């Protein structure tokens, strides 16, 4: 169990303690304030170098990580994989070695192979590795920002602040995750964050899109979507990942929408105060109806805007903090 | 001892053991009134002052000072708060400080800022605060008010208003709040 990510790499949420997660959420609250200023920059990582290596396409994660690093005054090395030697067949190990030789303090890595971030952290143990999504394994900053967004919105509704709420608010909170769980690294990170914080998590998917080994997850698998929707305080939807071959696991997109999509009719089953989340990018009309996205219960935009403060918090704790300092 | 101070000490993994009390709550109150009069004497126009407390120890003294100044001048005055965690120069040397909220609701350009903190020691917090302030505008002047000046400066920084000068040794610890001032030692808990 990792008690704090200070001075450490962030590879997965599975081995983070509740205190470690709450520390990131609390730190992110300070950065929300920084992001409201006219000068949205603090010198915490001045002189540090953060390399951003995205071996897989991404809009929001890459942009928000790079924005976060810049707002902390770090220098950002950004590797455009499409125009790099990776296209000539350079291995991940050699690419990392090359970048490490330039002198870096941290790497933000996205890769299509599960475990890539762990692998890189072994190649360069002196560099902090932040997992920006590895295959079907984990997407820790997404899990953290989802938990942060839930805490923020529910705290506002209760007339208090996220800092005051701590993790109390998650105790017994009913969270449902619906959709392509098999291929989703977001689902794995979300489940880890929610369960560690004390929420009751249920997942619902067509049998073919349930992951192997789901019995070991800290969740209850349910099959009746309608009943689960009526139960939930928070509903997290997932993108049907056709690039990872989801297409072969469902008969057709229409059928998936019919059985598990959040249509307007199904959204009526939700409690009036229930929250609807989606990590994006969305397939409007497949896992979620366009009108549901635009309803007041959907907090998708909040998730996107919390991406920067959460990633600032992760970079700040991981890169500015020293392990030696903690040990003193 | 104030809850705030105890909390701060705990987050640093340190416990404070008081040796003796140097000021009572009444002493602190009288010192704050004197400092407020000095501030008025030197600045005249209280309306152009911004009282900014440094999180977290300077928070309560700043609020108290602002309300005394409002009482003396009859003009409304409220204190802002500044958190300097992200501006410190010792981030990689010490455990990361626990950050708390910055709350400044107006542009500081052309105003006279009075920074308020509980204890002035090495001056590094004030150095960080001066850097942080520049992100909020260009104040006409910055002045410094502290409840206790305990010496041992590592930077060319001096206070303008002091509640009490306390010569101390490096290994002693001071806790100062509206409840009083204590001298003692910090030990790892």
């Amino acid at each position: 169990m990792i008690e704090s990510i200070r001075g450490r790499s962030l590879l997965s949420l599975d081995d983070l303690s509740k205190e470690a997660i709450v520390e990131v959420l609390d730190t992110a609250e300070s950065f929300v304030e920084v992001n409201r200023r006219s000068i949205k920059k603090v010198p915490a990582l001045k002189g540090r170098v953060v390399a951003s290596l995205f071996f897989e396409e991404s809009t929001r994660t890459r942009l928000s990580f790079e924005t976060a690093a810049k707002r902390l005054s770090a220098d950002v090395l950004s590797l455009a994989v499409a125009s790099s030697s990776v296209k000539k067949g350079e291995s991940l190990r050699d690419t990392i070695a090359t970048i490490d030789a330039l002198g870096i303090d941290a790497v933000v890595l996205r890769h299509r192979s599960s475990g890539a971030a762990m692998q890189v952290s072994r190649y360069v143990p002196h560099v902090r590795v932040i997992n920006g999504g590895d295959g079907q394994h984990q997407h820790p900053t997404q899990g953290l920002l989802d938990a942060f967004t839930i805490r923020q919105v529910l705290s506002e509704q209760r007339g208090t602040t996220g800092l005051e709420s701590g993790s109390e608010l998650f105790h017994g909170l009913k969270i449902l995750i619906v959709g392509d769980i098999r291929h989703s690294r977001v689902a794995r990170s979300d489940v880890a964050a929610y369960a560690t914080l004390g929420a009751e998590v249920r997942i619902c998917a067509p049998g073919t899109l349930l992951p192997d080994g789901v019995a070991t997850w800290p969740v209850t698998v349910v099959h009746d979507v309608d009943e689960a929707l009526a139960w939930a305080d928070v509903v997290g939807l997932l993108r049907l990942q056709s690039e990872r071959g989801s297409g072969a696991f469902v008969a057709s997109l229409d059928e998936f929408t019919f059985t598990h999509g959040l249509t307007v009719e199904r959204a009526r089953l939700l409690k009036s105060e229930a929250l609807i989340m989606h990590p994006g990018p969305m397939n409007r009309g497949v896992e979620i109806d366009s009108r549901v996205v635009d309803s007041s219960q959907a907090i998708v935009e909040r998730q996107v805007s919390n991406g920067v403060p959460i990633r600032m918090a992760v970079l700040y704790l991981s890169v500015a903090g020293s392990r030696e300092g903690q040990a003193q | 001892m104030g809850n705030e101070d105890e909390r701060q000490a705990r987050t640093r993994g340190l416990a404070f053991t008081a040796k003796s009390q140097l000021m009572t709550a009444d002493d602190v109150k009288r010192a704050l009134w004197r400092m407020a009069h000095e501030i008025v004497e030197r600045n005249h126009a209280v309306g152009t002052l911004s009282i900014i407390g440094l999180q977290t120890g300077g928070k309560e003294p700043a609020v108290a000072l602002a309300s005394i100044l409002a009482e003396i001048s009859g003009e409304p005055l409220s204190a802002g708060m500044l958190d300097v965690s992200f501006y410190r120069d010792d981030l990689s040397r010490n455990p990361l400080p626990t950050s708390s909220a910055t709350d400044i609701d107006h542009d500081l350009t052309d105003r006279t800022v009075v920074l308020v903190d509980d204890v002035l020691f090495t001056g590094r917090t004030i150095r960080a605060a001066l850097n942080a302030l520049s992100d909020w505008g260009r104040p006409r002047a910055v002045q410094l008010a502290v409840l206790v000046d305990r010496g041992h400066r590592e930077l060319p920084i001096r206070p303008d208003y002091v509640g009490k000068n306390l010569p101390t040794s490096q290994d002693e610890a001071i806790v100062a709040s509206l409840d009083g001032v204590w001298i003692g030692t910090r030990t790892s808990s």
Side-chain angles (χ1 to χ4, degrees):
Chain A
M1 236 350 136
I2 294 170
E3 297 298 331
S4 167
I5 68 161
R6 291 175 185 225
R8 308 185 69 113
S9 294
L10 176 62
L11 306 175
S12 164
L13 294 187
D14 276 339
D15 46 9
L16 252 52
S17 70
K18 183 192 276 189
E19 289 68 30
I21 293 176
V22 170
E23 180 179 51
V24 178
L25 305 191
D26 287 354
T27 306
E29 297 282 354
S30 309
F31 287 117
V32 169
E33 181 272 318
V34 171
N35 281 289
R36 278 200 221 105
R37 298 181 188 173
S38 54
I39 297 175
K40 302 172 177 56
K41 207 173 171 95
V42 292
L45 296 189
K46 198 162 102 188
R48 308 299 186 102
V49 183
V50 177
S52 142
L53 302 185
F54 279 65
F55 290 89
E56 199 182 57
E57 50 291 321
S58 155
T59 315
R60 67 209 78 215
T61 307
R62 181 184 187 126
L63 282 178
S64 62
F65 259 120
E66 293 183 3
T67 306
K70 286 174 181 171
R71 289 189 179 165
L72 290 166
S73 305
D75 295 316
V76 179
L77 275 182
S78 180
L79 179 74
V81 170
S83 58
S84 71
S85 294
V86 173
K87 288 288 164 198
K88 299 178 188 163
E90 188 174 60
S91 69
L92 177 59
R93 181 165 202 162
D94 290 337
T95 305
I96 297 296
T98 305
I99 288 164
D100 182 36
L102 298 172
I104 53 172
D105 297 287
V107 173
V108 177
L109 182 85
R110 163 159 302 186
H111 202 280
R112 62 179 66 250
S113 302
S114 303
M118 170 71 86
Q119 218 27 277
V120 167
S121 74
R122 287 182 185 148
Y123 296 153
V124 283
H126 51 284
V127 171
R128 315 282 154 79
V129 180
I130 312 293
N131 186 357
D134 60 333
Q136 301 172 12
H137 174 229
Q138 281 269 329
H139 191 352
T141 54
Q142 181 73 41
L144 291 167
L145 83 86
D146 286 345
F148 182 77
T149 306
I150 292 174
R151 191 175 84 163
Q152 186 185 51
V153 173
L154 291 183
S155 299
E156 274 171 27
Q157 285 177 0
R158 294 169 194 187
T160 166
T161 65
L163 272 181
E164 282 167 17
S165 298
S167 64
E168 281 304 304
L169 182 151
F170 287 96
H171 290 176
L173 190 70
K174 299 177 175 125
I175 305 181
L176 172 70
I177 300 177
V178 191
D180 184 359
I181 290 161
R182 169 183 281 268
H183 299 104
S184 178
R185 55 190 172 217
V186 174
R188 286 168 178 80
S189 288
D190 275 349
V191 164
Y194 299 158
T196 305
L197 287 167
E200 187 183 341
V201 187
R202 293 188 181 178
I203 61 174
C204 183
T208 51
L209 290 178
L210 281 172
D212 298 329
V214 70
T216 63
W217 290 28
V219 300
T220 312
V221 181
V222 294
H223 299 286
D224 187 328
V225 186
D226 295 353
E227 197 179 296
L229 286 171
W231 165 86
D233 298 318
V234 177
V235 181
L237 299 161
L238 298 167
R239 185 170 56 92
L240 195 62
Q241 305 199 18
S242 34
E243 82 275 19
R244 292 187 218 287
S246 302
F249 290 85
V250 293
S252 74
L253 291 184
D254 281 348
E255 187 185 300
F256 177 80
T257 308
F258 181 73
T259 57
H260 287 82
L262 190 60
T263 57
V264 173
E265 296 72 42
R266 257 202 200 104
R268 291 203 187 99
L269 300 168
L270 287 167
K271 296 181 196 167
S272 59
E273 71 281 7
L275 304 176
I276 302 166
M277 306 177 75
H278 194 300
M282 290 179 279
N283 298 312
R284 284 181 187 246
V286 180
E287 67 266 358
I288 186 164
D289 190 284
S290 218
R291 285 162 289 179
V292 177
V293 179
D294 300 328
S295 76
S296 61
Q297 283 175 278
I299 52 172
V300 178
E301 278 174 26
R302 294 285 284 265
Q303 290 173 271
V304 179
S305 54
N306 284 333
V308 173
I310 269 290
R311 287 173 180 121
M312 286 174 85
V314 167
L315 284 169
Y316 171 70
L317 291 169
S318 167
V319 183
S322 66
R323 239 172 286 193
E324 301 76 46
Q326 272 310 97
Q328 275 169 11
Chain B
M1 202 193 312
N3 289 332
E4 197 68 27
D5 303 292
E6 283 174 315
R7 192 186 69 84
Q8 247 190 309
R10 267 207 312 278
T11 55
R12 294 183 195 140
L14 298 170
F16 178 77
T17 316
K19 209 165 63 188
S20 61
Q21 184 169 11
L22 304 172
M23 289 173 89
T24 64
D26 278 343
D27 294 336
V28 172
K29 195 172 165 190
R30 273 191 292 274
L32 281 169
W33 271 90
R34 174 177 50 75
M35 289 158 75
H37 279 291
E38 287 171 8
I39 292 172
V40 176
E41 187 181 1
R42 189 156 145 194
N43 295 289
H44 308 296
V46 171
T48 64
L49 289 180
S50 290
I51 309 296
I52 307 284
L54 299 184
Q55 292 276 23
T56 52
K59 186 177 175 176
E60 287 183 9
V63 170
L65 209 47
S67 76
I68 295 171
L69 282 166
E71 206 175 318
I72 295 174
S73 66
E75 295 176 56
L77 192 66
S78 63
M81 294 302 147
L82 184 63
D83 179 73
V84 302
S85 307
F86 307 132
Y87 296 84
R88 299 196 68 94
D89 60 3
D90 51 4
L91 282 179
S92 55
R93 295 170 54 101
N94 293 318
L96 287 187
T98 308
S99 54
S100 38
T102 289
D103 177 17
I104 297 175
D105 59 3
H106 54 275
D107 188 355
L108 299 180
T109 302
D110 290 335
R111 296 183 68 85
T112 298
V113 171
V114 180
L115 288 176
V116 185
D117 207 356
D118 49 355
V119 179
L120 180 58
F121 185 22
T122 60
R124 287 182 190 271
T125 307
I126 306 303
R127 202 272 322 151
L130 291 172
N131 278 22
L133 273 185
S134 65
D135 286 354
W136 295 89
R138 183 184 178 280
R140 196 166 58 79
V142 181
Q143 300 168 358
L144 176 60
V146 294
L147 284 184
V148 172
D149 179 358
R150 58 168 297 192
H152 303 290
R153 215 79 74 239
E154 294 170 3
L155 296 169
I157 281 169
R158 57 157 183 77
D160 299 274
Y161 315 102
V162 184
K164 193 175 180 68
N165 280 299
L166 284 176
T168 58
S169 73
Q170 286 269 9
D171 51 356
E172 282 170 318
I174 298 283
V175 163
S177 74
L178 299 186
D179 302 333
V181 174
W182 288 264
I183 189 164
T185 49
R186 290 235 188 268
T187 43
S188 301
S189 56

